[in-house]
Amino acid sequence: MSAGELVALVCCDLGAIVRGRSVLASELGEQLDTGVSWVPANLSLTPCGSLAEPNPFGSVGDLRLLPDPDTHTRVEGDQGSGPLELMLCDIVEIDGQPWECCPRRFLRDALSELGSLGVRLTASFEHEFQLLRDAPPAPAFSLEAQRRAEPFPAQVMGALVEAGAHPERIFAEYAPHQFEIPVRPARGLASADRSVVLKEVVREIARRQGLAASFTPLLDPAEAGNGVHVHISLLDDAEESLLYDASRPACLSELGERFAAGILLHAPALSALTAPSPISAARLRPHRWSVGALALASQNREALLRIPPVLRLAHEDAAAQLHLEYRGADAAANPYLALGAIVRAGLDGVHRELPAPPILERDPAGLDEAGAARYRVGQWPASLEDSLQALAEDESVRGWLGELLYEAYVGVKRAELRAVAELDLSEACRRYAAIY
């Protein structure tokens, strides 16, 4: 360890920007119990660089960023840069009590409520991103696209392994210079932590190679964008699946049906938390393999909720494989708020004993008028303004946030809308490419 090595003590804010303070690695032990100072108004910083005004905090108050030792992440440096070392933090009051607006607390509370029913959650965030390069792209999904990007693919996978993010694979995607890195599912809070770490490691390795990696929801309005697919499994205390029931449609249990129904019920309001940038809605439209229908589907990429295929190869256990995939998210979302809201929506469906949603088994583009209405084709909010309106009107989702967090969150989003109000979509996409 060199004398000047730093450890960043960080949190992920409402705009999914990682912010914090760095301390000397040699003095980290002194910070584990007390953390570092933080300010409530920092939560009202926007991704565009400004402080949302008005915001509910003003100049008053003090907080602490309290590091979670379980999140300690280190990627060794190279000849041109020092190591990337960080710890994710809870935002707490100066006496150590949880702060009501801490995003990690929001997810932790949702998981606690789920646990009270004897249900455990594992999840993974499947990220897409693009390298910002001027070179002509290779064909989509091709080995050539991956090889042209070397040594980035090999080095980023190695760095993610070193960081404990458990990457499963990397492959070229549909858009120019686009890649996807699925990671192994993790239990509860750790799944959202892993999402934060993955993005920072990808950006770090790209920087070291003189590149820029962007997780922007949409780089070019004429091309495919970058989504985040949130994969969710529900388990009992013995780690057995609570979603699988071979006797039911699509092998989804009654609990799974109700959980899915709750997510679909609150889908418009959830959009304000899971795809919350001013450019997000332009990606999430019919015929873009994202959210063509607010429906549950089996092996259909035009639905908000998808049941991925259960593989029979190598005699893998079907119950362990079955899970739900939420396809209406992107990297502008704070992963703790996004997953926490999805969990609470699913729980609402369980508590209400909602009926099973119909399963969409065909491309929604071929549905007649009655079918389109049944599967809510094209009903995802068409803009961030529409998403915020849906959030305001959904008393349940708004209530899960609490008054102070809701006010701060909406303030940040409205500040973003004002920041890009005079830009056309292409210009706004370029601005967000630089942010994310």
Side-chain angles (χ1 to χ4, degrees):
M1 179 189 304
S2 67
E5 282 190 14
L6 300 174
V7 180
L9 305 183
V10 299
C11 61
C12 184
D13 74 3
L14 301 184
I17 304 299
V18 173
R19 305 184 194 266
R21 307 190 192 282
S22 293
V23 301
L24 288 168
S26 60
E27 298 179 3
L28 176 61
E30 301 173 19
Q31 313 295 333
L32 293 180
D33 292 331
T34 60
V36 293
S37 62
W38 204 238
V39 178
N42 286 347
L43 201 68
S44 287
L45 289 167
T46 74
C48 300
S50 62
L51 181 66
E53 293 290 358
N55 70 75
F57 308 114
S59 61
V60 177
D62 285 281
L63 300 164
R64 306 295 288 182
L65 293 183
L66 190 64
D68 180 347
D70 290 339
T71 69
H72 194 173
T73 299
R74 181 181 170 95
V75 176
E76 291 296 338
D78 59 16
Q79 293 181 347
S81 62
L84 170 68
E85 190 166 3
L86 62 87
M87 296 181 75
L88 298 171
C89 300
D90 289 307
I91 310 175
V92 301
E93 302 282 359
I94 58 174
D95 62 359
Q97 293 300 305
W99 187 45
E100 62 182 298
C101 294
C102 174
R104 285 183 102 230
R105 180 201 178 189
F106 179 80
L107 175 55
R108 191 181 282 111
D109 287 350
L111 294 172
S112 177
E113 183 179 342
L114 188 67
S116 70
L117 300 181
V119 181
R120 307 288 179 261
L121 176 139
T122 62
S124 67
F125 289 72
E126 188 177 84
H127 283 278
E128 297 169 330
F129 62 92
Q130 286 170 273
L131 298 177
L132 305 183
R133 310 180 71 179
D134 294 330
F141 306 109
S142 69
L143 177 60
E144 177 67 13
Q146 179 178 321
R147 295 304 300 168
R148 285 189 195 178
E150 283 293 349
F152 173 79
Q155 290 189 3
V156 79
M157 290 293 278
L160 288 167
V161 170
E162 185 180 359
H166 298 282
E168 293 183 324
R169 62 191 72 88
I170 185 172
F171 51 91
E173 258 285 355
Y174 184 69
H177 309 297
Q178 184 182 42
F179 292 89
E180 183 173 316
I181 303 180
V183 298
R184 190 181 306 167
R187 173 64 64 84
L189 191 70
S191 65
D193 291 338
R194 190 170 289 178
S195 170
V196 176
V197 168
L198 180 140
K199 289 186 288 183
E200 295 308 311
V201 170
V202 168
R203 293 189 184 107
E204 173 71 15
I205 299 306
R207 255 193 313 271
R208 293 182 186 182
Q209 297 183 13
L211 300 170
S214 180
F215 292 80
T216 181
L218 192 61
L219 182 61
D220 184 332
E223 297 171 350
N226 299 296
V228 176
H229 303 151
V230 185
H231 296 260
I232 295 172
S233 297
L234 302 180
L235 309 172
D236 62 19
D237 290 334
E239 302 292 317
E240 297 294 329
S241 174
L242 291 171
L243 291 180
Y244 184 80
D245 185 338
S247 69
R248 304 183 72 86
C251 296
L252 187 64
S253 68
E254 182 178 65
L255 174 71
E257 291 170 343
R258 290 173 175 171
F259 195 85
I263 294 171
L264 295 175
L265 174 68
H266 296 292
L270 291 180
S271 71
L273 298 169
T274 65
S277 81
I279 63 172
S280 293
R283 182 183 72 87
L284 296 168
R285 293 175 177 172
H287 315 304
R288 295 186 72 113
W289 286 28
S290 53
V291 185
L294 302 189
L296 174 66
S298 178
Q299 304 179 43
N300 189 328
R301 291 172 175 82
E302 276 282 301
L304 174 62
L305 275 182
R306 174 177 177 255
I307 304 172
V310 172
L311 301 180
R312 303 296 180 180
L313 299 173
H315 308 290
E316 294 185 47
D317 179 40
Q321 295 180 62
L322 192 132
H323 64 279
L324 295 172
E325 177 187 10
Y326 181 92
R327 297 177 59 80
D330 61 43
N334 177 296
Y336 306 100
L337 296 185
L339 184 57
I342 291 169
V343 168
R344 287 200 179 275
L347 276 167
D348 193 43
V350 173
H351 291 318
R352 295 191 193 197
E353 299 183 349
L354 294 180
I359 296 177
L360 177 63
E361 295 181 336
R362 57 182 295 186
D363 189 328
L367 295 172
D368 59 19
E369 185 175 346
R374 184 185 188 205
Y375 293 105
R376 300 167 70 190
V377 175
Q379 292 188 30
W380 185 263
S383 66
L384 177 55
E385 184 65 53
D386 290 347
S387 292
L388 293 175
Q389 184 62 37
L391 178 60
E393 294 172 355
D394 191 318
E395 294 183 3
S396 295
V397 182
R398 194 175 71 246
W400 301 333
L401 292 170
E403 184 177 344
L404 187 61
L405 180 55
Y406 172 76
E407 185 179 353
Y409 186 82
V410 171
V412 167
K413 294 297 134 185
R414 295 211 172 277
E416 285 187 68
L417 286 170
R418 290 192 296 271
V420 300
E422 302 302 319
L423 304 181
D424 64 25
L425 180 58
S426 294
E427 292 172 323
C429 287
R430 286 193 291 271
R431 181 159 188 183
Y432 275 87
I435 293 171
Y436 292 113

